[in-house]
Amino acid sequence: MKSRAGRMALALVMLSAVAACTSEPSSPEPAPTATPTPKATKAADLSEHESGPESPIAYGLYVPEGATQLGPLFRYRSTKLIEAYRPELQAAQAQKDAETADRIAEDEANGTPSPTPTPTPTTRPSPDSFKLLEEPPRPDTTISLMRIDGDPGVVMRRMLAQMSAAVPEADVQIDDLSAYCRAKDRRITGCQAVVRGVTDGNRDIRITMSVDPGKLSTRTAPPAALTRPVMQVVAEYVGDPRAGQLARDTGSLNDVPDVDPDAEGSGLIWPKMDEDAPLTTKLVNGWTVPTDATLLLSSFTPQFAAVTTARAMEADQIAEQFALRNSPDGRVTKDVTEDLNSVSTMYAVRTKNGSIARAVYILSARGNYTALFYTPRAN
């Protein structure tokens, strides 16, 4: 491995517990006929919303073998990034307003007052919040939500191996899950690994991987988990916001360590869940899945839920209403990002107790998606 003198990396290791109904008008009683046997309700087919192994995440990270990503990547601008570019946006807006005022004054001086524009109702997303800038800042936070279909320990260690390669100077323990997982009677109840440091491309990033095996006490997996553990991977640029915009991802990792399935030495056991919790279960700070949405994946710890809807307006409403419900004063932070093939709208609030409630709505050719996240205040 090449020399990396002069760079600093910090590895933080932390433990954590981890159809819409339409009423029909009444009609006359029909003549008696044979009643067919009702068919069992089939589980929603989510295959069109799944991405398999090797699907890219960010900074060279990818979905590991044995895991399936549900929905798209959820990407947004951090508060730090938004604040860094806000003065530039305000200056651009002031210039635009001044130009508009000058044009109106000139029209009125010439006896041709400018007509007052009439707002046109639309269901399309708002334009990029930074569209006035020549180069709007790109999102600096990416989240992948995955179901672990293979051996949970091996899949988690494969992700740890990628984190080790992404931040070469970090001391990632690939063969000892006890460094990241909490357990009761050797049964894992939750895992979290956090690594921060400088990549080979000199980018200061933080990667957080969290795994929820389900509730050990009731042997119940989160709704839509198919009784399997679920994993959340968050990749964030945490250096100087403007410096992070200068270069794009290399999209590859060097020297990813091999994972020997038999080399893990903690002796911890992944508990098997008997069933998924029902769709009526309260998730993400008490939120429940609406009838006009299909749940793709959810987690108890960390708290998240991802859904897809038939209509864009429904997905956007789910996101906005979640943020408003958690807002102590009815105000929310909204930021829209236009990408090549999609538009992402992020709503975020800080609750009364200091927790963060965030929703990301994505409109794309692939579908309409919303992910909800609730991060309790750190103790």
Side-chain angles (χ1 to χ4, degrees):
M1 187 177 298
K2 61 184 180 181
S3 172
R4 301 181 176 84
R7 297 184 321 184
M8 297 183 63
L10 173 63
L12 304 177
V13 177
M14 305 191 310
L15 299 177
S16 68
V18 245
C21 300
T22 304
S23 59
E24 297 290 344
S26 59
S27 57
E29 189 78 19
T33 57
T35 303
T37 302
K39 295 182 180 180
T41 302
K42 294 183 179 180
D45 180 8
L46 304 181
S47 57
E48 64 179 304
H49 307 293
E50 297 179 345
S51 300
E54 307 294 330
S55 297
I57 299 176
Y59 303 110
L61 301 172
Y62 50 86
V63 176
E65 181 182 351
T68 301
Q69 177 178 291
L70 276 297
L73 294 172
F74 292 93
R75 305 172 68 238
Y76 59 88
R77 299 179 180 113
S78 67
T79 301
K80 188 176 179 181
L81 179 62
I82 292 173
E83 292 303 318
Y85 279 84
R86 189 182 301 279
E88 191 173 337
L89 177 62
Q90 291 173 336
Q93 183 65 57
Q95 180 178 350
K96 179 183 178 182
D97 292 344
E99 292 173 351
T100 300
D102 289 344
R103 185 171 61 253
I104 292 175
E106 182 178 352
D107 290 343
E108 291 178 344
N110 294 331
T112 55
S114 299
T116 302
T118 302
T120 303
T122 177
T123 57
R124 292 180 58 82
S126 303
D128 194 300
S129 300
F130 288 84
K131 69 173 184 176
L132 292 181
L133 303 187
E134 185 175 346
E135 293 188 10
R138 302 183 301 275
D140 57 351
T141 304
T142 301
I143 302 178
S144 174
L145 305 176
M146 292 174 265
R147 183 185 66 236
I148 298 179
D149 298 317
D151 182 299
V154 174
V155 173
M156 180 175 169
R157 291 169 57 218
R158 286 171 178 157
M159 199 70 236
L160 287 169
Q162 292 185 48
M163 294 165 67
S164 176
V167 184
E169 297 301 324
D171 184 20
V172 180
Q173 303 299 311
I174 299 174
D175 296 330
D176 182 10
L177 293 182
S178 66
Y180 310 103
C181 298
R182 290 182 60 181
K184 181 178 181 181
D185 298 328
R186 294 176 54 214
R187 271 65 179 176
I188 292 174
T189 59
C191 305
Q192 185 179 79
V194 182
V195 171
R196 176 178 175 176
V198 180
T199 68
D200 279 337
N202 200 34
R203 299 172 72 78
D204 190 358
I205 67 172
R206 178 171 58 225
I207 307 168
T208 305
M209 173 184 61
S210 304
V211 180
D212 181 3
K215 291 185 177 179
L216 179 61
S217 59
T218 59
R219 298 175 66 91
T220 304
L226 305 183
T227 71
R228 302 297 301 171
V230 297
M231 178 163 64
Q232 174 184 277
V233 173
V234 183
E236 310 165 84
Y237 182 85
V238 292
D240 177 79
R242 290 182 176 275
Q245 298 290 313
L246 297 180
R248 291 187 177 272
D249 262 330
T250 59
S252 62
L253 293 176
N254 297 319
D255 305 321
V256 178
D258 293 329
V259 173
D260 181 351
D262 301 320
E264 206 282 312
S266 69
L268 297 181
I269 300 170
W270 288 91
K272 294 183 179 180
M273 301 294 114
D274 295 330
E275 62 180 354
D276 286 359
L279 291 177
T280 54
T281 300
K282 291 184 178 181
L283 303 165
V284 280
N285 199 34
W287 177 87
T288 54
V289 183
T291 56
D292 55 5
T294 298
L295 184 65
L296 299 177
L297 197 64
S298 68
S299 171
F300 296 133
T301 305
Q303 297 186 53
F304 73 72
V307 301
T308 183
T309 64
R311 297 188 299 173
M313 180 177 65
E314 295 163 348
D316 191 21
Q317 286 179 341
I318 290 172
E320 184 175 22
Q321 290 173 5
F322 172 75
L324 286 171
R325 186 175 66 84
N326 284 280
S327 174
D329 56 9
R331 294 183 297 178
V332 302
T333 296
K334 179 181 178 180
D335 185 62
V336 181
T337 304
E338 292 187 58
D339 211 338
L340 183 62
N341 299 311
S342 64
V343 179
S344 300
T345 304
M346 185 272 294
Y347 301 93
V349 298
R350 185 178 294 276
T351 66
K352 286 183 178 180
N353 64 9
S355 301
I356 300 296
R358 190 186 309 274
V360 181
Y361 151 59
I362 295 179
L363 172 65
S364 68
R366 186 180 179 185
N368 311 304
Y369 300 94
T370 292
L372 311 178
F373 306 95
Y374 187 81
T375 307
R377 180 185 63 182
N379 295 326

